[in-house]
Amino acid sequence: MSDSTVPIEIRQHNALTTARYEMSACEMDIVFSLLSKLTKHDKSGTIYEIRVQELQELTGRTWNYKQLLDSTEQLNSRVYHIDTGKTLLQVSLLSSALYRKGEGTIELEISERMRPYLIDLKSNFTSYRLQAAFSLSSKYAKRIYQLASQWKDIGETKTYSLDEFKAMLKLKDLSGKEPEQYTQISSLQKYVLDVATTQINEHTDLRIKYELLKKGRSYQSIKFYVNTQVPQQLPIPFELEADDAKVQLARKHLESLGIQEPQLVQDILQSTKHVDALFAFIYKLKTERIKADKNPGGLFLKMQGLR
């Protein structure tokens, strides 16, 4: 597709969307980047390369080496609890993570039992926008955005018991082995629900609100109402190759800089050097390492010798 306004969408099985697990924001950004690189043709044992600089450029956040190392270690050990009704699977996302020191790359391998929940999905999946997921800083906002995305075509989620909802976010251990977090409903609202709602409504394609439901005098359940904030657009197909997905995001960055001359856009997108420079420029612009309030597009073109 050539439409520069089309967002990059990624998919995961609904069972994974509602699985019980906890991740840091850094872990989730690594996972989102990993999901964006999957294709239906991937074979068992496929190695996926994550470039740290690209991850930082996409998210606008800087993760140091220790944070990344801790995050992939946690991803190797964290257990997803995937309940399909007939089975309860306890599985980790990764089978290995390899750091290439001095090269700024991480090589990830998906565990075999996790593959069916990520690869070549044709039904019962949740799709959500990669850049929207990246834009959320709260780990709870990231999870609730995924959950809301599952129901965006319906307009509201099912009603979850508070125990079920908190278990999905690992705020409550249903076995009782770990202490429950945010036991007061006011704390759950302040630190989880209100933060997530504000971030999702400000930074993503969805607008959500939640409703807490009482049984007797106490709150027992929750549901979310979900609407899209922009006209529905055709998503980039899941089988789109990772390099093509990067080109689509590069198109979006060029548009944000006001660079729309067809021949100029084509010249930039056909040059790996220019595309890499574009991502670096956008990252520095977001982190205010480059000041260009009046004409950032013109500055980028000048820096690349295109103007």
Side-chain angles (χ1 to χ4, degrees):
M1 293 185 185
S2 60
D3 185 353
S4 62
T5 66
V6 175
I8 299 170
E9 295 208 352
I10 51 182
R11 291 181 181 179
Q12 64 188 37
H13 196 282
N14 289 342
L16 188 57
T17 303
T18 56
R20 303 197 303 272
Y21 64 89
E22 179 185 18
M23 285 187 187
S24 67
C26 183
E27 288 173 65
M28 296 193 78
D29 281 349
I30 291 172
V31 171
F32 295 144
S33 182
L34 172 62
L35 292 179
S36 73
K37 297 180 181 297
L38 306 183
T39 79
K40 70 176 184 179
H41 306 293
D42 294 348
K43 305 297 183 184
S44 176
T46 297
I47 302 297
Y48 303 93
E49 183 182 85
I50 307 294
R51 292 178 57 241
V52 175
Q53 182 181 352
E54 184 176 304
L55 179 65
Q56 293 176 344
E57 290 164 359
L58 288 168
T59 63
R61 289 184 287 275
T62 301
W63 304 114
N64 62 44
Y65 179 77
K66 185 179 185 305
Q67 287 175 307
L68 294 167
L69 200 63
D70 289 345
S71 293
T72 51
E73 181 177 352
Q74 289 295 332
L75 287 172
N76 268 299
S77 61
R78 285 201 191 282
V79 175
Y80 287 75
H81 297 261
I82 302 176
D83 193 340
T84 65
K86 295 182 179 179
T87 61
L88 174 60
L89 175 64
Q90 297 172 318
V91 62
S92 60
L93 174 66
L94 301 179
S95 60
S96 69
L98 174 71
Y99 282 77
R100 295 202 173 276
K101 297 181 180 180
E103 296 183 19
T105 60
I106 310 169
E107 294 182 359
L108 304 178
E109 182 180 4
I110 296 171
S111 65
E112 193 61 29
R113 283 261 177 152
M114 182 62 86
R115 287 174 56 80
Y117 296 96
L118 299 173
I119 305 292
D120 196 20
L121 299 173
K122 294 181 174 64
S123 61
N124 298 319
F125 62 82
T126 302
S127 67
Y128 51 94
R129 296 186 177 181
L130 175 63
Q131 198 57 42
F134 274 143
S135 71
L136 302 169
S137 60
S138 161
K139 64 181 181 180
Y140 301 123
K142 292 176 186 286
R143 284 300 313 277
I144 292 173
Y145 173 66
Q146 291 174 305
L147 185 66
S149 294
Q150 181 181 344
W151 300 89
K152 62 189 174 188
D153 295 330
I154 297 174
E156 62 183 62
T157 69
K158 75 171 195 176
T159 299
Y160 298 95
S161 71
L162 282 179
D163 285 347
E164 181 183 12
F165 174 71
K166 293 182 78 173
M168 282 192 289
L169 272 60
K170 278 290 187 177
L171 297 174
K172 183 170 185 176
D173 180 1
L174 296 181
S175 69
K177 294 179 181 178
E178 299 290 336
E180 181 178 354
Q181 300 180 56
Y182 305 121
T183 54
Q184 297 295 320
I185 199 70
S186 58
S187 296
L188 181 67
Q189 288 182 280
K190 181 177 180 179
Y191 296 109
V192 177
L193 295 171
D194 291 345
V195 170
T197 299
T198 298
Q199 289 194 9
I200 290 168
N201 290 347
E202 288 183 357
H203 300 296
T204 79
D205 52 307
L206 301 182
R207 175 164 290 278
I208 71 167
K209 63 179 180 179
Y210 65 88
E211 181 181 9
L212 291 164
L213 305 170
K214 280 186 174 180
K215 186 174 182 180
R217 294 186 175 182
S218 62
Y219 290 104
Q220 297 291 326
S221 55
I222 185 171
K223 72 186 303 184
F224 293 87
Y225 297 92
V226 187
N227 293 293
T228 55
Q229 298 202 71
V230 294
Q232 192 64 38
Q233 297 170 320
L234 292 173
I236 291 178
F238 182 62
E239 54 267 32
L240 190 66
E241 298 296 334
D243 286 347
D244 290 337
K246 185 176 180 180
V247 168
Q248 292 292 345
L249 188 55
R251 285 184 181 277
K252 183 177 179 180
H253 285 327
L254 290 174
E255 182 181 40
S256 72
L257 294 175
I259 301 172
Q260 301 185 55
E261 183 181 325
Q263 187 59 54
L264 189 55
V265 169
Q266 184 178 348
D267 290 344
I268 293 171
L269 296 181
Q270 288 180 345
S271 166
T272 301
K273 176 185 174 182
H274 288 329
V275 169
D276 288 343
L278 173 63
F279 277 94
F281 182 83
I282 292 294
Y283 173 65
K284 291 177 181 177
L285 202 61
K286 285 184 176 180
T287 54
E288 297 185 342
R289 298 181 187 183
I290 288 179
K291 302 287 186 180
D293 296 333
K294 294 183 179 180
N295 185 11
L299 176 60
F300 172 74
L301 294 174
K302 184 177 180 180
M303 291 171 66
Q304 294 304 302
L306 298 170
R307 280 284 165 87

